[in-house]
Amino acid sequence: MKLALIPPAEQDDDGRYLNLDPEGSHGSIATRLGFFGRRILTPFRAGAGAAEHTTEAQVSIEAADSVQWVGHSTLLVSMHGLHFLTDPIWSNTPSPTPPFGPSRFVPPGLALQDLPYIDFILVSHNHYDHLDVPTLKKLAKQFPDTPFVVPKDNAALLNKHGVNNTIELNWGEQTQIGNLTISCLPAQHWSKRGIGDTRQALWSSWSVTSPNKRFYFGGDSAYFSGYKLIGDALGPFDLVALPIGAYSPRDMMQGSHMNPEEAIKAALDLRATRVLPIHYGTFDLSDEPLDEPLARFETALQTMTNNLSALILKIGERHAF
């Protein structure tokens, strides 16, 4: 199935995928060198301001339409009797060379062994904090019949590690699992796992719709024109989960990560009723204080709109939507 209003991702002459909007700045060489130098000190950074953790889920895991924040961009979503995960990561260090890399400051809000049966798994792109091979291998072993739904040219990486039940989609393509329709949608981002593979695998956002609810998972993205396109094609959404962190230094991050104010604009473009902030307060990925994204998000919500409510969860908290 295809969506008429959503164009497929294009590739350049070298096979590298292109964003829908022109590329934003990724900062000067000096900015980038300084940033990566500071990341070396990540293991020594204190966890002050990290997201709150709770063991009180609020609603049952069997609730018809509900969402639980496991941490970072990992959500356990239940819709119409089915359960799915977004960008699952249970590892402590999303890195090609753990234990060197970003530190997890808050434990996952749910243990892998406590998951219900997972009907499918969504992966937005191949960066290590979103496509975590150790976690995906464990999930494939725990749920051998569960499909992993990924953007184009990501299945080969999963297959290499024994995760073979994959569904690969381009922007604008859809698949059906039970009574849920899954749509692969644009994001303004990029991909890279190692040397020489920049943009060789597609990145995406996702929508999941049931007969009575519409959910959107933003993955990782800068603010771009695609949000209005998606809202016009598939909105209004009952709940949109959007990234609000990893935006500093701004001249380096603005081409691939939204700040909290832009996340509010994106939610409005998507014609959302409610917005769930994610991608903050779990790992040390950038220069802003761990508690700054949520504080800015709450201020922006109050000052920028009266037509949008927020679902702000603690890690481990589960709530109906």
Side-chain angles (χ1 to χ4, degrees), residues 24 62 70 93 136 150 170 189 198 201 221 261 278 285 306 317:
E62 298 301 329
V70 179
T93 307
L136 299 190
V150 301
N170 199 341
H189 204 60
T198 303
S221 182
E261 294 78 16
I278 57 172
L285 297 175
N306 295 317
E317 186 175 2

Side-chain angles (χ1 to χ4, degrees), residues 191-213:
S191 64
K192 184 177 180 66
R193 293 285 290 191
I195 297 172
D197 68 346
T198 303
R199 300 178 181 269
Q200 295 286 354
L202 185 59
W203 49 95
S204 74
S205 60
W206 299 96
S207 74
V208 181
T209 60
S210 74
N212 61 338
K213 290 287 184 178

Side-chain angles (χ1 to χ4, degrees), residues 4-312:
L5 294 179
I6 304 296
E10 296 183 357
Q11 295 170 274
D12 65 17
D13 293 339
D14 295 320
R16 300 184 188 276
Y17 284 99
L18 302 172
N19 276 307
L20 200 60
D21 285 1
E23 294 298 323
S25 170
H26 290 281
S28 67
I29 292 176
T31 294
R32 283 178 279 167
L33 287 175
F35 174 81
F36 290 116
R38 291 188 292 277
R39 299 281 67 72
I40 294 173
L41 300 176
T42 290
F44 306 102
R45 182 175 175 180
E52 292 186 70
H53 185 281
T54 183
T55 57
E56 298 180 8
Q58 301 298 319
V59 298
S60 166
I61 208 164
E62 298 301 329
D65 300 297
S66 59
V67 60
Q68 183 169 11
W69 191 25
V70 179
H72 197 48
S73 298
T74 305
L75 301 170
L76 169 61
V77 187
S78 301
M79 292 178 66
H80 212 69
L82 299 184
H83 306 294
F84 63 93
L85 292 168
T86 65
D87 286 355
I89 177 169
W90 265 259
S91 296
N92 288 325
T93 307
S95 163
T97 56
F100 302 102
S103 302
R104 181 189 281 273
F105 289 115
V106 190
L110 185 67
L112 279 169
Q113 62 267 26
D114 293 333
L115 288 171
Y117 181 81
I118 299 299
D119 294 278
F120 61 94
I121 293 163
L122 298 177
V123 175
S124 65
H125 66 295
N126 72 6
H127 287 158
Y128 285 85
D129 58 320
H130 294 261
L131 194 162
D132 180 50
V133 167
T135 295
L136 299 190
K137 290 170 65 176
K138 292 175 184 176
L139 289 169
K141 184 176 181 180
Q142 189 170 343
F143 306 107
D145 297 324
T146 295
F148 291 72
V149 189
V150 301
K152 291 285 287 183
D153 291 317
N154 283 278
L157 174 62
L158 274 64
N159 298 163
K160 176 182 175 182
H161 292 279
V163 181
N164 296 312
N165 192 3
T166 55
I167 299 172
E168 203 174 64
L169 300 177
N170 199 341
W171 295 346
E173 293 182 337
Q174 298 176 305
T175 190
Q176 193 85 18
I177 297 179
N179 288 319
L180 302 183
T181 300
I182 303 162
S183 302
C184 183
L185 301 167
Q188 187 81 7
H189 204 60
W190 61 302
S191 64
K192 184 177 180 66
R193 293 285 290 191
I195 297 172
D197 68 346
T198 303
R199 300 178 181 269
Q200 295 286 354
L202 185 59
W203 49 95
S204 74
S205 60
W206 299 96
S207 74
V208 181
T209 60
S210 74
N212 61 338
K213 290 287 184 178
R214 308 182 79 82
F215 169 78
Y216 175 82
F217 171 62
D220 211 353
S221 182
Y223 177 77
F224 74 126
S225 64
Y227 288 121
K228 187 174 189 310
L229 193 67
I230 294 166
D232 290 343
L234 289 166
F237 288 97
D238 298 284
L239 181 66
V240 298
L242 292 174
I244 66 167
Y247 51 78
S248 180
R250 197 68 192 128
D251 60 340
M252 176 180 169
M253 296 296 193
Q254 63 185 347
S256 55
H257 291 130
M258 290 188 285
N259 62 30
E261 294 78 16
E262 289 170 328
I264 298 295
K265 289 170 60 180
L268 294 172
D269 287 352
L270 290 162
R271 301 169 59 201
T273 301
R274 209 169 191 187
V275 57
L276 166 63
I278 57 172
H279 198 270
Y280 74 95
T282 308
F283 293 105
D284 176 17
L285 297 175
S286 54
D287 284 353
E288 75 270 6
L290 290 171
D291 57 354
E292 182 181 284
L294 183 59
R296 283 179 57 170
F297 175 84
E298 292 179 308
T299 298
L301 187 71
Q302 295 299 317
T303 59
M304 292 175 63
T305 179
N306 295 317
N307 300 318
L308 181 66
S309 65
L311 177 58
I312 297 173

